[in-house]
Amino acid sequence: DAGVTQSPTHLIKTRGQQVTLRCSPKSGHDTVSWYQQALGQGPQFIFQYYEEEERQRGNFPDRFSGHQFPNYSSELNVNALLLGDSALYLCASSPGTGTRNEQFFGPGTRLTVL
Amino acid sequence: AQSVTQLGSHVSVSEGALVLLRCNYSSSVPPYLFWYVQYPNQGLQLLLKYTTGATLVKGINGFEAEFKKSETSFHLTKPSAHMSDAAEYFCAVRIGGFQKLVFGTGTRLLVSP
């Protein structure tokens, strides 16, 4: 059983560009959350998708947007990249939105903005 | 708003020694508490969680944590450290009817022979 997968593993962009990161949830999971982990920091919640809609959002600007597809996979889009967007982006999936449900994390996508 | 404080960005122990990683939370309602481990260049793996019930929680790899409401703490312990325990450890809290996790800044555990 494949766990949460993310692509690409690494990405280098320049300021002002746009980037799309992808996530496939663990089999049987329909809820996807995205986190940003800056170097030396703990992960910070960006948003969560369930039934193809954004259900919860953290304190991130509108430059960060997402999408969930009918097969439950998800994309994170970041527009007008800033140097400060350099981070490890983690995707987590769970079976539903219940608070007792464990979130399983993927290995992350390392984004470097030059 | 809920928050998590992890005391000590780095903790060094010798192999076989007790591991103690500290976590304090701030919440006005009963929280769900988690400990995750992150190995280099990998995602997060759940070590253990507290939701309700027994306050002493046992997790994987011999780790355990105790929820102490009076001290607003959820410290992680392991009786005997192994070299393979060297990693970054994150405490996290989840509150209310949402899945959003709020993480601490992490503690890097160093294990020496």
Side-chain angles (χ1 to χ4, degrees):
Chain A
D1 172 30
V4 179
T5 59
Q6 294 185 242
S7 63
T9 55
H10 295 83
L11 203 53
I12 299 176
K13 293 285 188 179
T14 57
R15 282 177 297 174
Q17 285 189 312
Q18 179 264 344
V19 68
T20 298
L21 310 182
R22 296 175 175 81
C23 171
S24 292
K26 184 177 170 66
S27 178
H29 289 187
D30 56 7
T31 303
V32 173
S33 300
W34 287 92
Y35 291 81
Q36 179 196 66
Q37 185 179 13
L39 196 62
Q41 300 296 317
Q44 291 194 39
F45 177 78
I46 303 175
F47 42 52
Q48 181 183 73
Y49 276 83
Y50 173 67
E51 293 186 335
E52 302 180 47
E53 290 188 10
E54 183 182 296
R55 299 291 178 166
Q56 256 192 292
R57 189 177 183 92
N59 188 25
F60 279 81
D62 292 344
R63 298 187 297 110
F64 289 77
S65 63
H67 188 77
Q68 185 178 35
F69 299 93
N71 68 351
Y72 310 124
S73 66
S74 177
E75 289 181 349
L76 164 65
N77 301 293
V78 187
N79 294 322
L81 284 167
L82 303 174
L83 295 180
D85 295 331
S86 295
L88 180 67
Y89 289 85
L90 296 165
C91 171
S93 73
S94 60
T97 59
T99 53
R100 291 175 181 268
N101 296 339
E102 178 184 343
Q103 292 185 3
F104 289 79
F105 283 81
T109 293
R110 173 78 59 187
L111 172 65
T112 301
V113 182
L114 302 177
Chain B
Q2 63 272 26
S3 65
V4 172
T5 301
Q6 290 186 242
L7 299 177
S9 59
H10 292 79
V11 170
S12 295
V13 300
S14 299
E15 193 172 20
L18 171 71
V19 175
L20 171 61
L21 305 183
R22 300 179 186 274
C23 173
N24 288 88
Y25 68 91
S26 171
S27 171
S28 58
V29 297
Y32 292 168
L33 295 160
F34 304 80
W35 274 100
Y36 285 87
V37 61
Q38 186 176 37
Y39 297 99
N41 301 314
Q42 294 188 27
L44 301 173
Q45 180 183 12
L46 181 67
L47 279 176
L48 49 79
K49 64 181 178 181
Y50 168 78
T51 53
T52 58
T55 56
L56 182 61
V57 180
K58 295 186 183 298
I60 63 172
N61 301 337
F63 285 94
E64 62 182 37
E66 185 171 12
F67 170 61
K68 292 187 176 180
K69 184 178 179 180
S70 61
E71 299 177 7
T72 61
S73 68
F74 190 57
H75 301 330
L76 182 71
T77 61
K78 181 173 180 178
S80 176
H82 294 168
M83 295 295 292
S84 60
D85 294 328
E88 188 90 20
Y89 291 80
F90 293 94
C91 182
V93 61
R94 179 191 293 167
I95 294 177
F98 303 102
Q99 280 200 343
K100 168 187 172 182
L101 288 166
V102 176
F103 287 87
T105 53
T107 297
R108 181 167 298 278
L109 178 64
L110 307 170
V111 182
S112 57

